[in-house]
Amino acid sequence: MSIMDHISVRTFKATRCKRCGIVIGFGDRCEWCQHRPTGHVDAPGDLHGRHHSEWIGTVQVLMQEDDAYALQLLLPRLIGAAQAEAAATGKPSYGWYDDQLAQLEERQFGTKPTRPRERDTDAA
């Protein structure tokens, strides 16, 4: 059972794929998951067979719905995917997920980020 299996599939505003959790308009699974083999291994930058940038809409919907549980599961995995892609390509990591996680933690726990983001340390 994957971590994504614990994310609620239907929310008040959006329906998500039962397999990967990405926001979809209708049906139980997104088109990608209907045809993806179970043993699929993600490439650097991917999460559940999708490039991390394809998850931006899902993160935005989860933020609008204030689904903190799903965001706490999803954002660290997206950060890892973006960092893996950065390591493989030699380009800076996409920091938007870091920003979203920091905002979520500040809202939920009243904490400020304890570690600098990767791109902040690159500028130093």
Side-chain angles (χ1 to χ4, degrees):
M1 179 186 304
S2 75
I3 290 177
M4 295 303 289
D5 291 338
H6 297 289
I7 295 176
S8 60
V9 174
R10 185 178 283 292
T11 64
F12 181 71
K13 295 180 183 177
T15 301
R16 289 183 231 136
C17 173
K18 284 185 178 180
R19 186 172 186 188
C20 72
I22 200 161
V23 172
I24 57 175
F26 58 90
D28 288 348
R29 289 188 179 179
C30 64
E31 188 173 322
W32 170 253
C33 285
Q34 289 175 1
H35 305 289
R36 182 178 64 152
T38 303
H40 177 79
V41 176
D42 288 330
D46 288 356
L47 176 63
H48 296 296
R50 296 178 179 277
H51 188 261
H52 65 81
S53 62
E54 294 182 55
W55 291 90
I56 292 172
T58 297
V59 171
Q60 290 171 333
V61 168
L62 294 174
M63 292 294 255
Q64 289 171 350
E65 294 179 357
D66 200 26
D67 192 342
Y69 180 73
L71 286 164
Q72 288 171 339
L73 293 174
L74 182 59
L75 284 170
R77 299 182 86 197
L78 289 170
I79 291 168
Q83 289 174 346
E85 180 181 53
T89 62
K91 296 180 180 177
S93 180
Y94 184 63
W96 185 77
Y97 304 120
D98 297 291
D99 296 340
Q100 298 308 304
L101 185 58
Q103 288 175 18
L104 176 67
E105 289 174 351
E106 187 172 353
R107 247 188 4 253
Q108 293 295 114
F109 309 113
T111 61
K112 298 284 185 192
T114 55
R115 62 180 174 85
R117 292 189 328 255
E118 187 175 301
R119 65 179 175 202
D120 292 340
T121 57
D122 291 343

